[in-house]
Amino acid sequence: MNSSSTQFDTSRRMVLYEPIHQISMWGENFRGNSCPDTSALAIPAVDTKLDNQSEDTSHGTPGPSNKYDQEATKPLEKVLRRLAQNREAARKSRLRKKAYVQQLETSRLKLIQLEQELERARHQGVYIGGGLDGSHQGYSGAAGSGIAAFEVEYGHWVEEQNRQIYELKTALNSHVNDIDLRKLVDVGMSHYSDLFRMKTVAAKADVFHLMYGMWRTPAERFLLWIGGFRPSEILKVLLPQFDPLTDQQYLDVCNLRQSCQQLEDALTQGMEKLQHDLAESVAAGQLGEVGYVPQNSQMATAVQLLEDLANFVNRADHLRQETLRRMSSILTTRQAARGLLALGEYFSRLRHLSSLWADRLHEPA
């Protein structure tokens, strides 16, 4: 072979191995070593790198190949994690949608039941927003919208109370700490405050509807006192749930109950006087005074007396709210939680009793 042919072969080898030689140089530079003799073939140098990487792996030190493998698996792990998050979000969305549909169905059934009760009351001649002559059946105007809004709000209030009863029962059975239990007690107390606020607004719309418990079940109406529960009776019902009580706690609860009875007697006497004055004002009206009522007539006085009825309902609710607040301050956190749980279950049993009574009427003879 002549010299020109040899030169050509040498140039050809350099062109073929130049990229591999550059890879070898980059690899050595990354390791911080000096560049080897470029006269040697580059392929064995690459093999040496692979051998060194295998040795690093065999000694428990992740070599560059392991790092590349980990980088390659990261996108897969991220995708799997995101898929799991999407599945969980979809599951929660389905649960929320199911709960919302159930809430709508419950509200629809309650509205049907309310319409049936109102219809039965109309046929029985009960006062419903108008007179016994039926000329003003149902509610209209601001009074009607106010009572309708109250009915809807109260339905949501009962549903929320049922949820809070479940949370209190779960917390007490699982023996959570007093800090978390106190949060549930504060939420329960605030929930009753919301009820009293709703009743204050409803009393302005139609105090008779509120006074005689048209928004409650029959069993609840039977025990009604000025539009709500009698505080002293509720304390008597809840007292066994507070055991064990210290001597000071027992004395404070007894004093609270005695104070409630005194204030209840005062409000009851005020209501009796209001009823007496109202009856006298209506009886003193002149013959034929039915249509147009002058402002200086006895009927105008009777209207003013009825306006005081809303004040009695508000004062009774204030006594109920203050009783709950003082009871909570006397008791420990765990005792207060048991008291709220017992109070909520007491009203739930009354509502259930009304359902049992209604079902009995539909049973075959």
Side-chain angles (χ1 to χ4, degrees):
M1 184 178 296
N2 55 24
S3 60
S4 61
S5 175
T6 304
Q7 250 179 354
F8 175 79
D9 291 340
T10 304
S11 302
R12 184 180 180 184
R13 282 198 302 268
M14 289 179 63
V15 170
L16 289 175
Y17 292 118
E18 184 64 23
I20 301 178
H21 171 62
Q22 290 179 356
I23 293 175
S24 177
M25 290 177 62
W26 294 339
E28 293 300 332
N29 288 333
F30 282 133
R31 285 194 304 232
N33 295 332
S34 59
C35 182
D37 186 7
T38 56
S39 61
L41 290 177
I43 294 177
V46 173
D47 292 340
T48 304
K49 283 178 60 179
L50 295 176
D51 292 341
N52 292 338
Q53 292 172 6
S54 301
E55 288 178 2
D56 292 342
T57 306
S58 63
H59 285 83
T61 303
S65 61
N66 275 357
K67 292 181 181 179
Y68 300 151
D69 292 340
Q70 290 176 0
E71 291 295 330
T73 57
K74 280 183 179 179
L76 179 59
E77 293 175 356
K78 186 176 181 180
V79 169
L80 293 176
R81 184 168 61 252
R82 184 172 298 174
L83 288 175
Q85 292 174 349
N86 291 341
R87 286 194 296 268
E88 181 65 17
R91 186 184 68 84
K92 291 181 178 180
S93 178
R94 289 193 298 269
L95 291 176
R96 286 194 297 269
K97 182 179 179 181
K98 182 178 179 181
Y100 178 71
V101 172
Q102 290 176 347
Q103 181 179 358
L104 290 178
E105 181 64 19
T106 302
S107 300
R108 185 183 68 85
L109 293 176
K110 287 182 178 179
L111 287 175
I112 293 175
Q113 182 182 2
L114 179 61
E115 290 176 355
Q116 292 174 348
E117 291 182 1
L118 291 175
E119 187 64 28
R120 286 196 299 268
R122 291 191 186 99
H123 288 302
Q124 294 171 3
V126 180
Y127 172 85
I128 303 178
L132 292 176
D133 58 357
S135 59
H136 298 287
Q137 290 185 357
Y139 296 98
S140 61
S145 61
I147 290 300
F150 173 73
E151 294 280 1
V152 173
E153 278 190 295
Y154 181 69
H156 294 161
W157 187 91
V158 171
E159 292 176 358
E160 176 63 20
Q161 188 187 42
N162 291 334
R163 188 189 65 81
Q164 292 181 10
I165 289 174
Y166 175 78
E167 287 187 350
L168 277 173
K169 186 182 300 183
T170 303
L172 288 171
N173 291 337
S174 58
H175 304 287
V176 300
N177 57 67
D178 286 353
I179 296 178
D180 293 336
L181 201 57
R182 170 51 63 180
K183 294 178 181 178
L184 295 178
V185 171
D186 292 341
V187 169
M189 295 292 291
S190 177
H191 192 54
Y192 278 100
S193 297
D194 291 340
L195 175 61
F196 299 136
R197 175 192 55 77
M198 290 157 46
K199 290 176 66 180
T200 300
V201 177
K204 297 178 181 179
D206 190 342
V207 66
F208 287 110
H209 187 89
L210 196 69
M211 177 80 180
Y212 296 106
M214 298 301 294
W215 47 287
R216 289 184 178 270
T217 59
E220 291 177 294
R221 290 199 295 267
F222 180 70
L223 300 176
L224 212 62
W225 174 78
I226 314 184
F229 60 84
R230 189 183 289 268
S232 61
E233 291 298 321
I234 289 297
L235 285 176
K236 185 171 65 176
V237 171
L238 299 181
L239 188 59
Q241 307 296 329
F242 301 150
D243 288 334
L245 288 172
T246 64
D247 294 340
Q248 184 62 45
Q249 283 180 321
Y250 184 77
L251 180 62
D252 291 340
V253 172
C254 291
N255 290 336
L256 176 59
R257 187 181 174 195
Q258 185 177 2
S259 299
C260 288
Q261 288 176 334
Q262 293 174 354
L263 293 173
E264 288 168 8
D265 292 341
L267 285 174
T268 301
Q269 292 173 7
M271 281 290 300
E272 291 175 353
K273 186 178 185 306
L274 177 62
Q275 290 173 340
H276 179 267
D277 294 343
L278 180 64
E280 283 193 343
S281 297
V282 174
Q286 297 179 1
L287 292 177
E289 188 182 15
V290 178
Y292 172 73
V293 179
Q295 291 188 359
N296 58 351
S297 66
Q298 293 295 327
M299 291 300 292
T301 303
V303 172
Q304 293 177 357
L305 289 173
L306 287 180
E307 291 178 354
D308 292 336
L309 188 58
N311 294 329
F312 274 97
V313 175
N314 293 336
R315 278 183 276 180
D317 278 345
H318 179 73
L319 177 58
R320 285 183 271 265
Q321 185 175 10
E322 190 65 16
T323 301
L324 291 177
R325 188 191 65 79
R326 291 185 59 186
M327 181 191 71
S328 178
S329 65
I330 292 171
L331 304 173
T332 65
T333 299
R334 201 158 294 273
Q335 288 171 336
R338 289 206 305 267
L340 281 177
L341 176 60
L343 183 61
E345 290 186 340
Y346 174 75
F347 293 130
S348 295
R349 285 194 291 270
L350 284 177
R351 290 191 289 266
H352 183 59
L353 178 61
S354 298
S355 299
L356 293 176
W357 178 255
D359 293 340
R360 182 196 64 83
L361 299 177
H362 298 290
E363 291 179 356

